[in-house]
Amino acid sequence: MTRKEFLSNTALAGLGLATLPAIISCMPQRMLYQPLELASGGDLKTVRGNVSRYTNKGGTVGIFETKEGFVVVDSQFPDSIQPVLDGISAKGKPVLYLLNTHHHGDHTSGNIAFKDQKIKVVAHSRVPELQRLAAEKSNKLTEQRYATELFDETLAIDLGREKIRAYHFGNGHTFGDAIYHFEKDNIVHMGDLMFINMIPVYRTPDGSDSRSWIKVLEKALETFSDDTQFIFGHAPTPELATGTKENLREMINFLEASNTFMLKALAEGKSTEQLLKEHAYIPEFENRKTPERFAGFLTELRKTLES
C-alpha cells in the first residue's frame, strides 16, 4: 500500500467512526412506555420491556403496550378488569387484541367489559364451546363475549415490529390451554398451566390430565429460552405471579409426585378418604398445601389415573 492510499483509507475510516453515532441515532429505536396508572384496585407491575402483569380477582392478566394500542391476556371479571380498562383509556389508545388462555370464568367473565367490537378476541378452538357450556350451567349465557379468532396449534400475531405467537401444546389444565409468547420482550403467559405454591384447579371434564400436563410443560421448557420470563395464572401473592423455568420444573416435579402418590394408593387399594386422613398435602410439597382444594384434587386425579 502506498503512503497516499494509506492516508486516504485512514481518512475514510475516521469519517466512518465520526459519523457512526449519527447513523445509530437515525436508526429506529424501540419505545418503552410508562406503566398504566390505576385509579383503584389490583396490583400492577412491569415484568420486562412493555409487558406488565396485573393481579386482582381471578387469573393473572397480562398487558402489552405497542405504539398502536394494547394487547391484554385474560379478563378476570368485569369489575376487577375495569381499572385496567380505565388506565388504557387514559392513554388514548385502543385495545387491539384480547387473548384468552382458556375458558374458565375467572379468565373470561371480564370479556364482556371490552365493549369495542373491533377488538379481536383470540383463543384455542375448543374455548368458545367450553365457555358456553360453563355459562349455561351457571345461568350466565347473556354475560359472555366469545373468542372469534381461533387456532388449533399455533397462531402468529403480527404487530409490525412486535410479534406475539400463540401455542397449544395439548391439554393439561383444560382442553383449550393457550400459551402466549411476546417475542421481543421474551415473556410467556402460561395461564393456568402454572399454579405456584398452591394445589392447581383440576377438573377432568374440562380436560385436566396430569400425564398430558407434564408433557405440555416439558414442551414449554424445550420451546422457550433460559432467559424467558413467565407469567403464571395463579399465585398466593402478587410477587410470585412471575418466574422462570425453575418454576415450570417444580410444577412438573409436583405433578409427577402426585401421580406416583396416587398410583401407590390405587395399588394399595386406599380410598381418597383414607388418603385425606393420612395426608394434608402431596409428600415433599408442603409449599402446595391448599386444604380447601386437596380433596377435590385427589378425587379428580384418581379419575385420570384409573382410566
Side-chain angles (χ1 to χ4, degrees), residues 169-229:
F169 292 146
N171 64 302
H173 176 61
T174 71
F175 288 118
D177 296 319
I179 295 170
Y180 296 100
H181 185 203
F182 297 89
E183 295 185 348
K184 187 151 287 189
D185 290 314
N186 197 15
I187 306 291
V188 174
H189 197 305
M190 294 293 294
D192 281 6
L193 287 165
M194 282 299 298
F195 283 72
I196 295 298
N197 287 0
M198 38 194 331
I199 293 290
V201 171
Y202 194 103
R203 300 171 185 158
T204 54
D206 288 351
S208 294
D209 186 321
S210 55
R211 298 161 301 187
S212 177
W213 201 329
I214 290 167
K215 293 177 183 178
V216 169
L217 293 174
E218 288 175 338
K219 182 66 175 177
L221 288 176
E222 295 172 9
T223 302
F224 306 114
S225 71
D226 290 342
D227 183 53
T228 306
Q229 286 286 306

Side-chain angles (χ1 to χ4, degrees), residues 103 123-131 150-152 168 175-176 205:
H103 74 279
H124 182 261
S125 57
R126 294 289 301 272
V127 167
E129 180 62 12
L130 290 167
Q131 185 180 338
L150 306 176
F151 71 97
D152 290 319
H168 172 73
F175 288 118

Side-chain angles (χ1 to χ4, degrees), residues 140-160:
K140 293 183 178 180
L141 281 172
T142 60
E143 302 173 29
Q144 305 300 312
R145 180 172 181 178
Y146 300 101
T148 54
E149 305 279 325
L150 306 176
F151 71 97
D152 290 319
E153 295 182 359
T154 63
L155 175 72
I157 299 173
D158 191 334
L159 298 169

Side-chain angles (χ1 to χ4, degrees), residues 34-292:
Q34 291 297 313
L36 298 179
E37 292 187 9
L38 302 182
S40 63
D43 184 277
L44 179 72
K45 184 177 180 180
T46 299
V47 181
R48 185 160 60 196
N50 288 317
V51 179
S52 301
R53 63 100 182 114
Y54 170 78
T55 58
N56 192 346
K57 183 173 63 175
T60 308
V61 171
I63 304 165
F64 178 51
E65 183 172 1
T66 73
K67 180 181 178 182
E68 291 77 20
F70 285 84
V71 177
V72 179
V73 183
D74 285 342
S75 62
Q76 296 191 351
F77 301 93
D79 60 337
S80 60
I81 198 65
Q82 195 58 50
V84 170
L85 296 178
D86 291 342
I88 289 174
S89 179
K91 283 211 169 187
K93 295 181 182 180
V95 176
L96 304 173
Y97 287 87
L98 171 59
L99 315 177
N100 286 149
T101 61
H102 63 292
H103 74 279
H104 285 160
D106 62 320
H107 296 258
T108 60
S109 293
N111 286 9
I112 199 169
F114 291 72
K115 304 296 185 183
D116 187 351
Q117 293 305 305
K118 295 193 293 293
I119 298 171
K120 295 179 179 179
V121 185
V122 176
H124 182 261
S125 57
R126 294 289 301 272
V127 167
E129 180 62 12
L130 290 167
Q131 185 180 338
R132 187 192 67 78
L133 289 171
E136 191 172 48
K137 289 179 182 178
S138 60
N139 197 29
K140 293 183 178 180
L141 281 172
T142 60
E143 302 173 29
Q144 305 300 312
R145 180 172 181 178
Y146 300 101
T148 54
E149 305 279 325
L150 306 176
F151 71 97
D152 290 319
E153 295 182 359
T154 63
L155 175 72
I157 299 173
D158 191 334
L159 298 169
R161 277 182 265 165
E162 305 286 356
K163 314 288 183 185
I164 304 169
R165 185 169 292 275
Y167 297 90
H168 172 73
F169 292 146
N171 64 302
H173 176 61
T174 71
F175 288 118
D177 296 319
I179 295 170
Y180 296 100
H181 185 203
F182 297 89
E183 295 185 348
K184 187 151 287 189
D185 290 314
N186 197 15
I187 306 291
V188 174
H189 197 305
M190 294 293 294
D192 281 6
L193 287 165
M194 282 299 298
F195 283 72
I196 295 298
N197 287 0
M198 38 194 331
I199 293 290
V201 171
Y202 194 103
R203 300 171 185 158
T204 54
D206 288 351
S208 294
D209 186 321
S210 55
R211 298 161 301 187
S212 177
W213 201 329
I214 290 167
K215 293 177 183 178
V216 169
L217 293 174
E218 288 175 338
K219 182 66 175 177
L221 288 176
E222 295 172 9
T223 302
F224 306 114
S225 71
D226 290 342
D227 183 53
T228 306
Q229 286 286 306
F230 297 89
I231 298 174
F232 309 137
H234 291 276
T237 63
E239 295 76 22
L240 294 175
T242 59
T244 67
K245 279 187 171 182
E246 285 305 307
N247 300 111
L248 271 67
R249 293 187 182 99
E250 191 273 344
M251 182 80 180
I252 291 171
N253 291 339
F254 165 74
L255 291 169
E256 288 177 338
S258 298
N259 287 347
T260 299
F261 176 77
M262 182 55 71
L263 288 170
K264 183 174 183 291
L266 291 173
E268 293 173 351
K270 289 186 177 181
S271 67
T272 299
E273 290 70 24
Q274 284 177 280
L275 292 177
L276 291 170
K277 289 178 181 178
E278 297 171 1
H279 300 275
Y281 53 88
I282 298 297
E284 299 184 19
F285 286 88
E286 189 173 2
N287 63 305
R288 289 180 178 269
K289 188 175 180 181
T290 314
E292 69 277 10

